[in-house]
Amino acid sequence: MGIKGKAGCGCLIGILVVVMILAGVLLHPVSLRFAGKSFRYEDKIVPADAIFVPRFPDDHDGELYVEAFREYFAGDGRVVYIENDKVLGTDIYDLVSGMAKSRGVKENVTKSLFAGDLGDRRHAFFKEKFRGAGLKKVIIVVPEYASRRYHQVYDSSRDGGAVLYMVKPVKVSYFRADKWWRDDLSRSIMAREFYDSLLYYYSILRKDKTG
């Protein structure tokens, strides 16, 4: 069953990529650029209790973590939570901890959050962890293309306002926001983001209907 589900998702993503390629041929670049920018969202950032960096596998150079450390040194967060994962048997958190140390971040500042195989349910897991830690304000550092979706997923009003989440979008080098339809990786990212956004809104509609 799991294999079948993954295959179905892959087919849908492939279809979305084809649609976006056709759009790149048929539509004016200005319209496509506007479509790409519509995925961007930015909150006004104020000093918070913590900074959170979700895992984005395409961020090979750690650009999100670098931005999180900048926010930390700017006084916008006392701790930096890292969504941990394993790649070829290596903990992402261990790599990021080394990066933090090389930039002068104290050892006790970074903290690991590991959601295992929870999938999309990991967001609820992280929220519960933040509430349990008594945090009131959390800055979420994400790529620009995912910022609007994270704004919706971490909408404080849906959680009773216990924690205020602020989305910090980061311009990453691996995503060409101004010409995403001409770059293979950028097109793939946009297709995945569109698909993930549809899944999220669908889950909200189902939840609202079932009460």
Side-chain angles (χ1 to χ4, degrees), residues 57-128:
D58 292 312
D59 183 24
H60 300 302
D61 294 329
E63 296 176 70
L64 298 178
Y65 306 114
V66 172
E67 183 61 32
F69 299 148
R70 288 199 190 103
E71 291 291 330
Y72 166 73
F73 282 120
D76 289 334
R78 295 194 295 270
V79 297
V80 180
Y81 284 92
I82 306 297
E83 179 179 359
N84 199 8
D85 197 2
K86 279 187 178 292
V87 177
L88 299 176
T90 301
D91 274 2
I92 292 298
Y93 177 73
D94 291 340
L95 297 176
V96 177
S97 295
M99 183 190 300
K101 186 176 181 181
S102 69
R103 284 168 169 73
V105 179
K106 295 180 180 179
E107 188 174 348
N108 62 345
V109 168
T110 58
K111 299 181 182 296
S112 173
L113 285 176
F114 183 60
D117 58 355
L118 289 177
D120 289 338
R121 291 177 295 165
R122 72 187 192 283
H123 297 300
F125 171 81
F126 295 144
K127 290 178 184 179
E128 185 57 38

Side-chain angles (χ1 to χ4, degrees), residues 6-211:
K6 290 181 180 178
C9 292
C11 290
L12 181 54
I13 290 176
I15 292 171
L16 290 173
V17 169
V18 172
V19 169
M20 287 188 173
I21 292 174
L22 290 175
V25 174
L26 299 174
L27 298 180
H28 195 279
V30 173
S31 300
L32 293 172
R33 194 173 294 116
F34 175 79
K37 290 182 178 180
S38 68
F39 283 77
R40 187 183 188 281
Y41 176 88
E42 182 173 9
D43 279 313
K44 178 180 179 182
I45 303 298
V46 299
D49 301 308
I51 300 165
F52 173 45
V53 188
R55 170 86 169 115
F56 283 85
D58 292 312
D59 183 24
H60 300 302
D61 294 329
E63 296 176 70
L64 298 178
Y65 306 114
V66 172
E67 183 61 32
F69 299 148
R70 288 199 190 103
E71 291 291 330
Y72 166 73
F73 282 120
D76 289 334
R78 295 194 295 270
V79 297
V80 180
Y81 284 92
I82 306 297
E83 179 179 359
N84 199 8
D85 197 2
K86 279 187 178 292
V87 177
L88 299 176
T90 301
D91 274 2
I92 292 298
Y93 177 73
D94 291 340
L95 297 176
V96 177
S97 295
M99 183 190 300
K101 186 176 181 181
S102 69
R103 284 168 169 73
V105 179
K106 295 180 180 179
E107 188 174 348
N108 62 345
V109 168
T110 58
K111 299 181 182 296
S112 173
L113 285 176
F114 183 60
D117 58 355
L118 289 177
D120 289 338
R121 291 177 295 165
R122 72 187 192 283
H123 297 300
F125 171 81
F126 295 144
K127 290 178 184 179
E128 185 57 38
K129 287 292 184 181
F130 296 144
R131 285 194 295 268
L135 303 181
K136 299 300 182 184
K137 298 177 184 177
V138 177
I139 297 170
I140 306 178
V141 179
V142 296
E144 286 183 326
Y145 59 80
S147 55
R148 185 163 296 279
R149 175 166 59 89
Y150 268 76
H151 164 63
Q152 296 294 336
V153 173
Y154 287 84
D155 184 352
S156 302
S157 64
R158 287 188 172 274
D159 300 315
V163 182
L164 173 64
Y165 296 103
M166 295 167 282
V167 174
K168 171 71 176 182
V170 179
K171 185 175 182 179
V172 289
S173 61
Y174 61 86
F175 178 72
R176 299 179 60 187
D178 57 339
K179 296 181 179 179
W180 58 266
W181 59 94
R182 295 183 179 177
D183 177 69
D184 290 342
L185 177 58
S186 299
R187 281 199 305 269
S188 176
I189 286 173
M190 282 292 286
R192 292 201 310 264
E193 190 59 34
F194 183 63
Y195 176 72
D196 289 341
S197 297
L198 286 179
L199 281 184
Y200 172 73
Y201 287 120
Y202 176 68
S203 67
I204 291 299
L205 286 174
R206 288 190 61 185
K207 185 176 180 181
D208 290 344
K209 286 182 178 179
T210 58

